Amino acid sequence: MLIYLKKFREQISVKGDNRLRRRTLSLLPAAALLLVSGMTNAYSAPKTLLVLGDSLSAEYGLARGTGWVALLEQRLQAQKNDTRIVNASISGETTSGGRARLPALLAKHQPDVVLIELGANDGLRGLPVAAAEANLRAMGEAAKKSGAQVVLVGMRMPPNYGRAYGEQFYSVYGKLAKEWKAPLVPFMFEGIADQPQLFQADRMHPNAKAHPTILKNIWPQLAPLLKAK
């Protein structure tokens, strides 16, 4: 770009009357600045990540700043990555609630990446797997239609919900990720599910000590999507 401007300046110095030459040359610095600025914005603009989840992403029962989303933000800042994180997670949220809220969130924040961490409350309430699948599919398709990339976070049900229900529920995440060709975090609780000391008194919500491991599970699938544009 600078070489082009230099050649253009040389041509102007040879051709045209003095007044036109002076006016044109006076505009070159501003034009160069605009061009360089545009190139910088095009290639280094920070991305926006929308996290659509439930209590597992909403720091339920935790001190602020200790949940995995906050830890993600801290890691990105340490790496000088300016990704803007919008945590739209709500305790108790189901896939139907997320589906209802997502269109407005997409319109407002225009995210580059949407991470969907929902379904656990559907499963714990024994809701039909087909309904959860339909809601998750609608959310993923809406996000993709908006131009965002999708990351899906998988969850398993406790054994007492029955093997058949648990397997059917868990298979939905892999099925949808394959359809969308989207990154999948196979199991959010990998490495902590069998560690009682890493859960709060309700034995359902991870405590602060568990959230670095949760981030460790999510990071490999999410990080490549958060590189500057």
Side-chain angles (χ1 to χ4, degrees):
M1 184 62 68
L2 293 177
I3 293 174
Y4 173 81
L5 289 171
K6 182 178 180 182
K7 289 182 177 179
F8 180 65
R9 184 169 183 167
E10 290 172 350
Q11 291 173 3
I12 289 295
S13 67
V14 175
K15 300 179 181 179
D17 59 31
N18 290 336
R19 185 173 59 182
L20 176 61
R21 184 167 65 247
R22 285 196 299 271
R23 290 184 61 187
T24 303
L25 290 175
S26 70
L27 293 174
L28 282 175
L33 181 62
L34 287 173
L35 287 170
V36 172
S37 175
M39 291 171 65
T40 300
N41 289 337
Y43 290 100
S44 62
K47 292 189 174 182
T48 296
L49 165 66
L50 173 65
V51 179
L52 186 62
D54 48 37
S55 57
L56 302 177
S57 299
E59 292 189 328
Y60 175 87
L62 303 176
R64 289 294 169 258
T66 59
W68 77 265
V69 179
L71 297 178
L72 169 65
E73 187 170 20
Q74 294 167 24
R75 178 178 291 189
L76 291 172
Q77 289 175 350
Q79 296 181 353
K80 302 192 182 305
N81 183 316
D82 296 326
T83 294
R84 182 173 72 101
I85 300 178
V86 178
N87 191 355
S89 303
I90 298 177
S91 294
E93 185 68 291
T94 60
T95 58
S96 61
R99 179 179 182 176
R101 291 194 298 124
L102 183 57
L105 292 169
L106 293 173
K108 180 178 180 180
H109 301 292
Q110 300 181 351
D112 300 283
V113 181
V114 176
L115 183 143
I116 301 175
E117 179 274 298
L118 287 172
N121 288 314
D122 296 62
L124 293 174
R125 297 174 188 180
L127 299 178
V129 173
E133 179 178 343
N135 290 328
L136 288 170
R137 178 176 281 106
M139 284 186 276
E141 291 176 353
K144 288 169 65 68
K145 186 176 180 180
S146 76
Q149 295 176 286
V150 178
V151 178
L152 192 57
V153 179
M155 180 55 68
R156 292 183 181 274
M157 287 294 100
N160 59 303
Y161 279 75
R163 181 174 178 179
Y165 181 80
E167 290 182 353
Q168 185 182 8
F169 177 88
Y170 179 67
S171 68
V172 166
Y173 296 100
K175 176 181 179 181
L176 292 177
K178 185 175 181 179
E179 286 182 12
W180 303 336
K181 297 181 180 179
L184 170 68
V185 178
F187 184 32
M188 188 181 190
F189 284 0
E190 187 68 41
I192 69 169
D194 58 350
Q195 304 292 322
Q197 73 275 15
L198 295 179
F199 285 82
Q200 298 177 40
D202 61 11
R203 298 185 180 182
M204 295 176 59
H205 294 90
N207 59 33
K209 293 180 179 179
H211 278 259
T213 300
I214 292 175
L215 176 57
K216 181 180 178 181
N217 293 335
I218 293 172
W219 177 258
Q221 304 302 326
L222 179 60
L225 305 184
L226 299 183
K227 295 180 180 178
K229 301 176 186 177

